[in-house]
Amino acid sequence: MRELQRLHFWLFLGIYLAALLGNGPIITAVACDHRLHTPMCSFLLNLSLLDLGSISTTVPTSVAKSLWDTRDISYAGCAAQLLLFAFLISAEYFLLTVTAYDRSVAICKPLHYGTLLGSRSLNLVVAVLYAGAPAAVNSLIHSMRSQELKDALWKLIQGERAKKTLATTASVEARLPVQAQPTLRQRGLLCGFWKKASTRLFLSFPLSTEMLTFGGDILKFAGDAVLVLWRAPHQELAKTITLVLQCSWQIQKKYGSRDTPVGQKVQLKIGISAGPMNVVFFGDGRRRHFCICDRALNEVCEAQELANAGEVILSATSWELCERHRLRIKHLAGKRAVKVTGMDQMSWSECQDALRKLVQHPVSHRLEGEGAMRPALVLSNRPKVVEVLGKYIPETALMKLDDRLPLDFFSELRPVTSLFIQLQLATDFISTAELCTVLLNASRMLLEILCPHKGKINKVLLFDKGCSFLCVFGLTGEKLPYKSLHALQSAIQILNSFSTMFGGKKAVSVAVTSGMVFYGVNGHPLRREYTVIGQKVNLAARMMMHYPGLVSCDAATYAASRLPPYYFKELPERNMKGISHPGTLYQYVGITKESILGMGLTKERSEYAPLLGREKEIDLFVSCLKAYKELGQRHILAFEGMMGSGKSHLLTELAYLGQAAGHRVVAVELLEVNVRQSFSAIRTLMARALGLQDCELCSDKERMLQTKLRGTIEESSYCLLNDIFLVEFPVSDKVRDMGEPQRKKELHSTWAKVLEKAIGGEFGIFVIDNAHFIDPASWSIMSPVLRNVSLFMVMSLAPGYARTESFCKAAADETMSHNITYLHLDKLKPSAVVQKVCQDLGVVSISRDLARFLIQRSSGIPYYCEELLRCLRRSDMLLSCTRRRGEKGEDNWESLTASAVEASPLAASSSSSAGDDGRVCIIRPDVNLENAVLPVTLKEIALAELDRLKPLKQMVLKHAAVIGPVFTTQLLSHILPAGIRHKMNCLLDMLVRDNILKWLKNTEVPEDVQDPTKGPATSLRAESGVERSSPSKTTAERQSGVLAFCVLPLQEAAYQLWPERQRVALHHKCAAFLERHVHKCKSCSQGDFVAFHRFAVTSTQDGGSCQGPADQGDSRSWEALVLAGEQMRRDRTHATEDAEDDLQQQQAFMEEDFGVAGRFLAKSEETTELSSKSDGKHSGACSCECKAIVESVLVPLARHYLAMGDAARAFYYLLECAAAYLHVSNSYMALVKLNEAEVLRNSVEKKANVIACFEEAVFFSLKGEVCCRTGRMKLAKKMIREALSLLKRQFPRTCIGALVKSQVEKLQCAAYVARRAASLPQEARRKRLAWLLQQSRCLSLLEHLFSLEGTSSGQTFSRLAARMKANTDRAADSYRAADSRHR
């Protein structure tokens, strides 16, 4: 496109120059030579003038627009061009006609030529030609005053604009040309302003429907306000005002005061104004905006300010134009606006008539179920029109539209940084043209400032809060590290630039906030807006209003920027509407004296704990330091590591070691802000090397510089250091006489001399943290010195920066590699992570669950571990206690839980013993670490990685994140939208190549993943008849597999992006898929882990029976789930694969029956044998597939139902999890799941009929079995007695009661039980059978427990339990037989 424009420029420039060269000599010759003053030459002269005039009217403008890549023309310019071109062409045709007549007379009547066309005739022709021009122009000018002609001209302009293809840039540039469009003025515009008195806008579907039904057009959303427009002819304004008033009263009556689902109260206040309005269009080639302005907008803003909650205010203009006989009003003191207190309602026919007369677009939509029409603009199928209108939609939304993602998946919850800017403009006294110029200039400046940081202008408003801009950093696909810092830098730059533009800082206010917002589609289904809303956006708007003339920010932005405190000032607290606890607010002041002179290392070294996991790096530094001290061998050590890898802590430790060795250490830490400050890095380094940071007075710094640099630079060059070191040396004549290029060259030379002086050995060791932030100007001076390796320097670098690549290349150079060492910092080993956590917490050991959680999610990165630990402590999830060897606790469930958690802690070091006395950190019993929220800092890092992916990849990852860290392709295909299922395999393969996902070891990677036309096997039909071991692998088989996330924080961050409604819907889909596999494996009879559990809880079988064999489609899904479960079990029992070689780690993470003593393990095995008899199968050393199924099916099902808010189903599956873990002899995990069930049970205890009585009995029964396996016999008896009591089967507590109960049991009639079983319906029979089987299990456990006592009373109770169990088993057999007969 740009090449065509250049071709157009040169082609038409040549044509215009040819016209000048052709007509210019004719005009000159005829005018200068009196011999050519003949009629024919006179005609040629005038023709040349007209030819030049006509071509000069159009061609130069076209050439200029091609050169500057613009397509805009003002209304006046277009009109003038049309008028001049029409006049000149008409005059040329007239003159050509006269010339033809002249030649005809000269040829046909040569003798009469002098008479017919003499000088008088010639003068008359020329006079008529030029004298008629003013009249023609005058008549055309008068005709253009007609509104119809102006509208027609505007439509012509718009039509031509729509036909043109506007150029868009492929990448974001530092400067983007801002294009202006003419303002569109319409008469009869009616504006309604709706605002509520509470904190946030809650535009429900019915409220928006009311506005649209009454013919309104929702034009702008603004946080807690919405602007609605009714377009009507001037003669229909009175009726339209009545229509709007009726709409207002209806809305106030229905929705004026109501509670929202988020717990806030909506109170509406309405202002109405009428009159003409202007629409202003502005923006760049990629994104455009529009605003409305004029007196009507000012009046509606004033009207809503005068309104209280529940009131409707008419502006003065509306009151003058309305049907007054219908209204009952109250005048406001000192105001021309009136408050409407009542009105005579319009009839249905009057409303329909008023609606028909509203100005509508040619194509309109009807609201479903409503008879009213509403204005609508339907996108044409013509690509150019779609392109033009698409510029008003954010790029993120357009990308998702291009990928054909469903609209429901456009929205997400995302942490962003919001930047609100307010311009104090006197809109009452500023013209529309001036306002348009202001908006154009402001948007141009904002684009220049925001684009380098990928900030976006999300919204431009001229109402509610004056002229304001909402800018956002960190949107989908536009996220960069340090977005809070970039927002603050942009804010101070905007404040300074706008203050210069508008004359004073009081005219500009900027507020910055960071936090979670809703980013996506908002509003009515027929009037949507893609924007950000949330409490943080609202806070930024309030701060902008209450702290004018400065850059304000909240505490979250202050912390996320990671800037030193001297960049900020704390602001006084002020009352802000709708904001109860905003927290500490700050003013960002930008560059100060402290920031100019820099700072040292900010990390503090612990005097009591060594730096863990960096022994190799420390040994390297010590050896280089020794060579430097003894041999004078200078060296550069460069440590490269990702953010959070511990670079700053390492440099702090090395600086301490250098000082301890007797060297002077000059240490500085650079920040991201230093990159954009010329000479900031070298200035910071030299200021600390020369000791200037300790000089408070300017004179002290001057003396220090003169002392340190005497003989290094000339006296005349000291003045070059004034702006850099904030000194005031007098400007020398030599420097004053220098030109700008020569002065820059001299400054560069002076800096080089100062640097060579500083690094000449006098100042010892230089330590630079974050050396990748060295600015280009400093690098141009430091680079030659570093190449010569004339100093001993230690620095840290981060990957992905130009400076890092330079040092990496230098280290690879053979000529410099012996003096430069470039070392990559590895991740910490699991043992080092555990020791670090113990040091930070001040304990001797931590629980294995806590260690596993931190090792898996931190990935061995120290900063991640610190943030996770800080989040856990802030959320009060950890508990420190003193562990005493041999100390016996109380015999209750809480004591058992505590002993289980402390059974095998991880010691802080190999010399520490977990059994010694000391402080131990454990997880609170009521806390589930799987539900812990990812810290904001780690979420920001994970989202930055996620945003590098394309929207379709992000969509697949977000769906996979709902499933969990490990997922099967069948389940992923089940929950994906139908439109992208056929691309799933291709996208998964790309994500694996991007190291986001990984195929599990025993999973065959799909061979056809790159074929997007072949979809996954999502139905049973697609997989039927395919065997896994078949040598000919079909598409269905190759598409089945199991994948896992490489980094857990990425999965958690992707999961937290889902809004609640979509998240719940996806959890429901996952649960529906997994419930087909909720049963034991084939070798274990395929029943419920709690016998007949589903029949005891509900009368219907959700998802069908699991008793029979599954079909082949389900069998293939079963195999994938087994593989996924095995991986999840390995992840749970081993923190990382690297830890498998560490014997201490292996012992710490063993989970098989955590008994507190060796004898309990033996008892656990005996109990396992006993309890398995009720299932008819021995599972004491279960090596079946149930171990995997409990991890991949039961545990996720409990999590899914918890996320859906279904407490009853979640409790059901938690009990199934506990029973399954007992089935596979894992008492520890059974106890963990029972603790989760108890927390859930306590949370819903006050709600009626949430947990069934049978569920309560199973809960206590499983508790009793866990107590039995861990040697808590007394507690086990108590729990099982409670379970039997809930099962309506009392067990006596005394020997006399036991004897009586034994006689009663002898009287049981088997025939009666059989008849009763046969008479019951199937559902009731199976429910009763579940109760009997649970009673039998409890009695079996009691029989075993009492038999271990070895006393006479114990034998009595044991025999009674055996008798009761025998009767229960006979009854159960009767019910089984009856059930089999009635099938």
Side-chain angles (χ1 to χ4, degrees), residues 175-178 439-449:
R175 293 180 60 90
L176 293 176
V178 178
L439 291 175
L440 290 172
N441 294 334
S443 60
R444 178 190 296 114
M445 190 169 295
L446 283 176
L447 289 171
E448 292 177 356
I449 296 173

Side-chain angles (χ1 to χ4, degrees), residues 848 896 899-904 1129 1132-1133 1146-1169 1171 1178-1182 1187 1218-1232 1234 1262-1272:
R848 52 185 172 178
L896 174 62
S899 63
V901 174
E902 299 175 12
S904 56
R1129 183 172 177 270
R1132 182 171 52 79
T1133 54
Q1146 281 190 344
Q1147 294 174 350
F1149 281 99
M1150 288 297 294
E1151 285 186 348
E1152 303 296 334
D1153 287 314
F1154 60 83
V1156 295
R1159 63 180 184 276
F1160 293 155
L1161 293 176
K1163 292 179 181 179
S1164 175
E1165 292 298 328
E1166 295 175 7
T1167 310
T1168 302
E1169 273 190 341
S1171 60
H1178 174 72
S1179 60
C1182 182
K1187 290 183 178 180
Y1221 279 122
L1222 289 173
H1223 176 73
V1224 298
S1225 303
N1226 193 338
S1227 302
Y1228 175 77
M1229 287 306 300
L1231 181 141
V1232 170
L1234 287 173
L1262 294 174
K1263 275 189 170 183
E1265 190 168 349
V1266 171
C1267 294
C1268 179
R1269 294 194 179 198
T1270 55
R1272 299 294 182 96

Side-chain angles (χ1 to χ4, degrees), residues 1305-1337:
E1305 290 293 325
K1306 292 179 181 180
L1307 301 177
Q1308 292 285 346
C1309 180
Y1312 169 77
V1313 174
R1315 289 195 301 271
R1316 177 177 173 80
S1319 63
L1320 292 175
Q1322 185 182 33
E1323 293 180 1
R1325 188 165 52 247
R1326 290 184 174 181
K1327 183 174 182 180
R1328 180 58 183 166
L1329 180 58
W1331 283 62
L1332 291 173
L1333 292 176
Q1334 194 60 34
Q1335 291 175 6
S1336 177
R1337 189 176 187 87

